[in-house]
Amino acid sequence: MGKAASWPQRGAVAASAGGTSAVWGECQGSGSKPYLAAVHLDGGTGPAYKCSCPSRKIPCKHVLGLLALWAQGEVADREDKPSWVGSWLDGRAARQARAADPAKAAPADPAKAAATLRAREEAVAAGLAELRLWLHDQIDAGLAEVPKHGYDHWDRMAKRLTDAKARGASGWVSRLPSVARQESWPERVLEHLGLLHLLIDGYGAGDALGERTRGAIRSRVGITLKADEVRAGGESVGDTWVVLGRRTVPGAEDDMTGLRVWLRGARTGRTALALSFGRADQAPTTPYRLGTAVEADLSFYPDGHRVVPDPGTELPGPVPQGTTVAGALDAHAAVLAEDPWRETWPVVLADAAPARDDRWYLADPGGDALPLATGVPRRLLAVTGGRPATVAAEWSPAEGLTPLAVWDRTGKAIPL
């Protein structure tokens, strides 16, 4: 990997102002196709990395090997470059230009864009009206019928919602078969159907609801905004954003993987969620690293929580301010008041210690505790020795607490 012979094709792209703009290479591994790796060095927001290998580490070993060769003078400037390098660099340049000038994100034909949006909203409304009738049919038939239904029963409704451009609601219906297989399934299924019914009513309420709730509903049914639109018109909040932790989750489609990174503003206390997605052969990327903070103006989506990732200026991250279990649950309740469909929320518990009764818990000094979604918290026990520490985790009433990170006695952040 760090040998020139492993990189039969490699080169450096000269910057117009002098120096090197990017380094690229094709690493011949054990497979039939080489791994394609590149580094953008002068993108204005710090180095950016790209590699076709399946590693989830960023940068991966191929990128590091390529950089090592370049540092040793083994990668010469070349006038030509492969098309995949050119496409990647052009795409990054276009995104940076749009970010620098939000006016460029505005649609070329606002009237046509508004008409397209109205048509979509009407299609979604028609799909949700059909979903309402379908929900009533499920209740009229009785929950006892639910286990008898095959996948076709749920898929038919999900596909009709997809055709109505309500892909978010379609996803909720598609999850019903798995909900029906869970423990205490009657309660879970009834809760799921109730949330769907609430989503329909919320969409119909329109402007009568608060801005964040409207944003959450439109996102849940599948009417989303592009990142450029959010940068141009979304709420912008400047702060020092402390990275609380990250969690890889399944994507909306079978061949996709999602990455949730939670941030908290040191001055505003605002919570931000940076989402990224990747196909099965490419891990999702994020500019945020645990143990750091980022000074940046983040653009929020209308739901008030999701943000467009912005690398900003990276700083050493302090230990985030924690709270008690009661404080964490109060914060979660406030979020649910605006977005009842939110399934997970980050909590930071101060002086929290693992405890075991019928299962494992994380307890605060007052004796209040939240159950862990995982089994034995071995890594947390190894880091803390069972002593109290600041722990960041995702809280889900249905699943429990999933630890994301712990800060040890020296203040070092360790992923869990």
Side-chain angles (χ1 to χ4, degrees):
M1 186 105 22
K3 299 178 181 177
S6 300
W7 301 82
Q9 293 294 330
R10 61 187 185 276
V13 180
S16 57
T20 301
S21 173
V23 185
W24 61 269
E26 300 179 2
C27 181
Q28 191 61 57
S30 57
S32 59
K33 296 181 179 179
Y35 291 126
L36 310 180
V39 185
H40 191 190
L41 298 165
D42 66 347
T45 55
Y49 314 102
K50 174 185 177 66
C51 186
S52 61
C53 78
S55 172
R56 295 177 183 272
K57 293 185 177 180
I58 304 170
C60 68
K61 61 183 180 181
H62 302 99
V63 166
L64 294 177
L66 178 62
L67 285 173
L69 279 180
W70 175 63
Q72 296 166 14
E74 296 285 349
V75 182
D77 286 356
R78 285 178 56 168
E79 293 291 336
D80 62 320
K81 56 181 178 291
S83 58
W84 63 269
V85 177
S87 299
W88 183 57
L89 295 177
D90 290 345
R92 284 185 50 76
R95 287 193 293 274
Q96 289 164 6
R98 288 195 296 268
D101 186 1
K104 293 183 178 179
D109 187 344
K112 182 179 179 181
T116 301
L117 179 59
R118 281 197 301 274
R120 179 168 189 182
E121 290 172 339
E122 291 170 359
V124 169
L128 294 183
E130 186 176 356
L131 176 60
R132 183 191 297 275
L133 294 175
W134 183 84
L135 288 175
H136 290 175
D137 289 343
Q138 308 313 303
I139 297 301
D140 289 344
L143 289 180
E145 296 296 313
V146 168
K148 303 176 184 176
H149 295 316
Y151 281 97
D152 288 348
H153 175 80
W154 315 103
D155 287 346
R156 281 194 294 273
M157 187 66 240
K159 288 177 181 177
R160 290 202 291 273
L161 287 168
T162 299
D163 292 342
K165 306 183 187 304
R167 291 181 63 87
S170 172
W172 275 73
V173 173
S174 296
R175 289 166 49 193
L176 273 164
S178 63
V179 175
R181 293 196 298 272
Q182 295 176 1
E183 188 177 352
S184 303
W185 67 264
E187 293 88 347
R188 295 290 180 86
V189 169
L190 191 59
E191 178 188 22
H192 204 87
L193 296 178
L195 286 172
L196 271 171
H197 200 278
L198 184 63
L199 188 65
I200 298 169
D201 285 347
Y203 187 80
D207 294 340
L209 301 175
E211 182 179 356
R212 288 190 180 183
T213 303
R214 288 203 310 274
I217 290 171
R218 291 174 70 84
S219 172
R220 297 283 186 258
V221 299
I223 301 177
T224 57
L225 295 176
K226 296 179 180 177
D228 290 339
E229 295 174 312
V230 177
R231 288 194 188 96
E235 180 189 13
S236 179
V237 179
D239 205 332
T240 300
W241 300 94
V242 181
V243 180
L244 301 181
R246 52 190 286 171
R247 185 181 180 188
T248 302
V249 295
E253 300 176 14
D254 291 341
D255 62 342
M256 291 189 69
T257 300
L259 178 64
R260 290 198 291 255
V261 180
W262 295 100
L263 310 166
R264 181 157 295 166
R267 296 187 295 275
T268 63
R270 188 83 174 261
T271 298
L273 169 62
L275 279 175
S276 55
F277 299 93
R279 293 289 177 185
D281 59 348
Q282 187 173 22
T285 61
T286 178
Y288 305 122
R289 299 186 302 145
L290 184 64
T292 66
V294 175
E295 187 72 40
D297 293 340
L298 295 183
S299 299
F300 281 76
Y301 282 75
D303 69 358
H305 302 302
R306 186 182 173 189
V307 296
V308 179
D310 184 329
T313 302
E314 188 175 276
L315 307 168
V319 179
Q321 184 176 1
T323 183
T324 62
V325 167
L329 293 179
D330 285 345
H332 182 238
V335 171
L336 288 182
E338 292 183 333
D339 182 359
W341 305 274
R342 180 161 291 284
E343 297 170 279
T344 59
W345 186 248
V347 299
V348 180
L349 298 178
D351 298 322
R356 184 173 184 181
D357 190 6
D358 56 328
R359 59 187 293 182
W360 282 93
Y361 294 80
L362 208 54
D364 67 12
D368 293 329
L370 292 173
L372 293 178
T374 55
V376 182
R378 291 187 173 84
R379 189 169 175 82
L380 177 60
L381 288 168
V383 173
T384 65
R387 290 184 289 272
T390 299
V391 179
E394 273 191 351
W395 167 243
S396 163
E399 299 177 2
L401 204 61
T402 301
L404 302 176
V406 59
W407 281 259
D408 66 14
R409 287 178 293 177
T410 67
K412 180 182 179 182
I414 299 171
L416 297 174

